Amino acid sequence: MPLEQPVHFPELKQRNVFSVISSPEIKESKLIFVTDMEGPQVLGDTVAEVISQKILHGDIIYRRIYDWYTEATSSRRRTKGVRRPEGLPPLSAQEGTDILFTLPLLLATDTDERFIQEVAMEYKRTPGSHQLLEYLKNEGALVVGVTTSLVGPNKVIGREIGLDDVIGTPFPLDQAGKILKESGKYKSEIALVNSFLSDCNNIIEEHGEYSDILKERIGRFYEKELSISYDYEVRKERNGHKTVIGAMIEEIGVVGDRSKAAVALALKRSKLIKGGFLVTIGDGTNDAVMLGLPGARLSIALNGGPVKEAKIGVITNDVSVLIFLIKIAQENPSMDIDTLIKEAQKVVGNRAIIHKGGQGVSSELIEKHKKMKEFLRGQTGNLVP
């Protein structure tokens, strides 16, 4: 049954995508560097680490939520190159929205924002990140982090490592817990979450993490039990939410694929930006739209990034090699991408593989990207051959 009254939480809905333009840290610059945080600048995944520490089989459940959600929504997202089924409008979903699906799981384990901050601050810098950011600062660049991950911890990290600002996904865990308790639904809805987690753990232990039974249970929990939907028609017809948790999750504005692109575009078009030499860098699926923007002089898919959308792919365990790409491009504004890559590769030698992006990228190169990303994140012990 729907809740007795429709619920809205405007305080949770505010997207901070464009706040960077009015930030006091923003300055005039001829070089704009928009970077993903986890991967290009710091190693690790804060949400994954928190879930792993707080929930039995949490890392598996988190990965399978991502897989289920991606499969369920990818054909109808408003992303470049996606052909939606005829007659169906796009979803309001973005790549990365699934990060919000961890909120009820953390509410059920009494996790608070302070704990998340403590985990996040155990980050390690990506090798070469310090030198890259130092070079950019010396060049007077405007350096903005944009991440699907949680905005609170990443703003702190961004200030610590020297970024001008960080845009990320709001994750008001403490506030959500307070709202849920004040609603009088805390006990019943947390029981619903705990039942879901118990079922997931039983399924994993009996059938394995890739079981279709697990995928079905995840879908039923979020779509049926919490009644979360990013389909406008479903929202219109359902006549309210079943749960306060579901209503809150729908209100929070994730910084996903389209929002990342919006940040880069907003900076490019801002009157504060002089010259508009834009560089974008990312290493994940949700960076694809941003890397596909035609207005960027350089768009770089780094170590596992969406190389088919980017102009350039770079495979390296030392991101300071990007300095040479940027420097050569700045000094030679009319140089074509092929020549730029050739000249940069000469300088960096065997410190990196620099190649052209686009649809012609070989499966061998894509596999090398993947292996380097896994190596840097500690998932394998071997460097890319």
Side-chain angles (χ1 to χ4, degrees):
M1 293 292 292
L3 299 172
E4 292 181 5
Q5 297 291 330
V7 287
H8 297 286
F9 309 101
E11 67 273 25
L12 302 182
K13 197 170 186 177
Q14 296 175 2
R15 290 177 187 262
N16 58 0
V17 172
F18 298 107
S19 67
V20 65
I21 299 173
S22 58
S23 167
E25 288 81 13
I26 291 299
K27 57 184 182 291
E28 292 185 2
S29 177
K30 292 184 178 180
L31 173 60
I32 314 151
F33 189 81
V34 181
T35 176
D36 189 13
M37 288 290 289
E38 293 179 345
Q41 303 304 325
V42 296
L43 297 175
D45 183 329
T46 298
V47 176
E49 182 59 33
V50 171
I51 289 287
S52 296
Q53 291 189 32
K54 286 289 187 176
I55 297 172
L56 179 63
H57 298 315
D59 55 335
I60 294 175
I61 295 170
Y62 183 42
R63 289 196 300 269
R64 298 293 78 80
I65 288 172
Y66 172 83
D67 291 343
W68 161 77
Y69 180 73
T70 300
E71 182 181 329
T73 62
S74 60
S75 67
R76 288 182 58 195
R77 289 199 187 121
R78 289 195 250 210
T79 54
K80 184 179 179 182
V82 170
R83 286 192 169 187
R84 295 183 298 276
E86 189 172 348
L88 289 177
L91 299 176
S92 60
Q94 295 195 81
E95 173 72 20
T97 302
D98 49 285
I99 200 168
L100 299 177
F101 293 171
T102 62
L103 189 143
L105 314 187
L106 296 178
L107 283 174
T109 56
D110 290 324
T111 305
D112 58 19
E113 292 175 25
R114 181 178 178 180
F115 178 79
I116 293 174
Q117 185 71 54
E118 289 172 354
V119 171
M121 295 310 293
E122 294 175 2
Y123 71 91
K124 294 180 181 179
R125 294 287 294 272
T126 303
S129 166
H130 177 80
Q131 292 91 332
L132 173 62
L133 292 179
E134 189 174 76
Y135 167 79
L136 291 168
K137 289 175 90 172
N138 289 337
E139 288 293 299
L142 172 64
V143 185
V144 177
V146 56
T147 177
T148 297
S149 192
L150 316 184
V151 66
N154 277 286
K155 274 190 177 289
V156 176
I157 293 170
R159 285 195 296 270
E160 195 165 278
I161 67 176
L163 273 63
D164 291 298
D165 206 349
V166 175
I167 301 299
T169 298
F171 199 78
L173 185 61
D174 294 350
Q175 188 179 8
K178 181 181 178 183
I179 290 172
L180 184 58
K181 287 174 182 176
E182 290 175 349
S183 73
K185 301 287 184 178
Y186 183 88
K187 186 174 181 180
S188 61
E189 295 196 12
I190 293 301
L192 192 68
V193 179
N194 284 328
S195 176
F196 164 69
L197 289 173
S198 177
D199 287 350
C200 285
N201 286 318
N202 289 335
I203 292 167
I204 290 166
E205 291 169 6
E206 292 181 20
H207 302 281
E209 65 174 289
Y210 296 104
S211 165
D212 286 341
I213 301 173
L214 180 60
K215 182 169 68 174
E216 185 278 332
R217 184 66 184 93
I218 290 169
R220 177 156 47 94
F221 175 63
Y222 288 104
E223 291 184 327
K224 304 298 183 184
E225 295 175 2
L226 295 186
S227 73
I228 297 170
S229 176
Y230 293 95
D231 187 314
Y232 298 109
E233 294 301 316
V234 171
R235 289 187 181 189
K236 187 166 61 176
E237 293 175 4
R238 73 184 172 198
N239 193 29
H241 278 87
K242 291 181 182 178
T243 63
V244 174
I245 290 176
M248 287 192 292
I249 289 175
E250 283 192 3
E251 292 284 301
I252 300 171
V254 71
V255 175
D257 44 14
R258 291 179 287 111
S259 293
K260 286 187 173 189
V263 170
L265 269 178
L267 288 168
K268 169 78 173 174
R269 295 171 177 174
S270 171
K271 293 180 181 179
L272 293 172
I273 305 306
K274 306 297 182 183
F277 189 103
L278 174 65
V279 179
T280 57
I281 176 173
D283 76 335
T285 306
N286 55 34
D287 298 309
V289 180
M290 179 178 73
L291 295 182
L293 289 173
R297 172 68 171 99
L298 299 179
S299 59
I300 303 168
L302 177 73
N303 298 336
V307 293
K308 293 188 176 182
E309 284 75 22
K311 292 180 180 178
I312 296 174
V314 176
I315 305 168
T316 185
N317 64 341
D318 179 2
V319 299
S320 68
V321 300
L322 300 181
I323 292 171
F324 302 105
L325 265 173
I326 297 167
K327 188 174 182 179
I328 295 169
Q330 281 185 291
E331 293 174 351
N332 303 274
S334 61
M335 182 179 284
D336 62 84
I337 291 294
D338 292 297
T339 306
L340 174 60
I341 290 170
K342 184 178 178 180
E343 292 301 310
Q345 188 70 72
K346 282 182 190 177
V347 177
V348 305
N350 61 7
R351 293 169 59 194
I353 297 173
I354 305 176
H355 64 89
K356 192 172 184 178
Q359 295 302 310
V361 177
S362 69
S363 57
E364 180 184 3
L365 277 173
I366 291 173
E367 185 62 22
K368 286 186 176 183
H369 273 272
K370 178 182 175 183
K371 285 183 178 179
M372 182 60 80
K373 184 173 183 176
E374 290 173 348
F375 170 77
L376 286 171
R377 298 202 177 196
Q379 295 171 340
T380 65
N382 299 314
L383 200 56
V384 174

